[in-house]
Amino acid sequence: MNNRCYTYFRIVGKFNTDDISHILNLTPEKKWDIGDVRPNGRKYDFANWAIGYCKDYNIDTSVQMEKSISILMDKKEELKQIREKNDAEFYLQVVPTLCVDESTPALAPSMTVMDFCYETRTQIDIDLYLED
């Protein structure tokens, strides 16, 4: 096995995903609305709107983070509007899977990523997985 990582941007909260798509003028890569049925048969009690999936592993994960938010860099005002008018939170998801015998990636965000996250109040969420 080799190290791998993917990143993406998501909006979570109590909103209609079509409204988010309309405001941002973007089509999400993954979405669900409140009341949609989960794979386990239960219903979602929150909405999810996700875009910018980057699976092109780079040992410097800030490169992947920047790719994930690149489509949103000129949409900061729209994101602020979404956050203020909806019960919404923003996340930049970083999901590395590390192998014990491989060198570890750099998980530090670049200044570009940190500035974007600060300006839009986006949280960086790192879900780290390990493999033997």
Side-chain angles (χ1 to χ4, degrees):
M1 284 299 222
N2 293 323
N3 287 345
R4 56 197 180 279
C5 182
Y6 65 95
T7 58
Y8 63 99
F9 177 87
R10 73 190 289 221
I11 303 172
V12 177
K14 298 186 183 297
F15 51 78
N16 181 297
T17 56
D18 291 337
D19 293 344
I20 303 301
S21 297
H22 178 73
I23 292 168
L24 293 175
N25 195 28
L26 294 171
T27 302
E29 295 169 48
K30 188 175 197 178
K31 72 172 187 163
W32 63 74
D33 284 294
I34 296 170
D36 286 353
V37 179
R38 295 175 184 249
N40 66 7
R42 300 182 73 199
K43 292 185 178 182
Y44 286 105
D45 60 355
F46 63 95
N48 178 75
W49 189 98
I51 200 164
Y53 281 83
C54 178
K55 296 180 181 179
D56 300 327
Y57 176 66
N58 189 312
I59 195 159
D60 180 359
T61 58
S62 67
V63 172
Q64 290 183 256
M65 291 181 219
E66 287 183 21
K67 285 182 182 179
S68 289
I69 62 171
S70 64
I71 196 168
L72 299 164
M73 292 301 283
D74 65 345
K75 309 245 183 224
K76 293 176 188 172
E77 290 305 315
E78 291 89 339
L79 289 168
K80 289 177 187 177
Q81 174 189 354
I82 289 167
R83 191 185 70 249
E84 291 170 5
K85 292 186 177 184
N86 297 279
D87 183 12
E89 294 182 347
F90 304 152
Y91 297 92
L92 177 55
Q93 300 288 149
V94 181
V95 188
T97 300
L98 305 180
C99 300
V100 175
D101 295 333
E102 298 276 326
S103 60
T104 57
L107 295 175
S110 67
M111 287 303 293
T112 300
V113 170
M114 288 192 294
D115 287 345
F116 173 85
C117 290
Y118 175 76
E119 291 175 36
T120 60
R121 311 265 313 144
T122 297
Q123 301 173 57
I124 298 174
D125 184 7
I126 301 172
D127 294 332
L128 177 65
Y129 296 92
L130 296 175
E131 288 186 355
D132 289 331

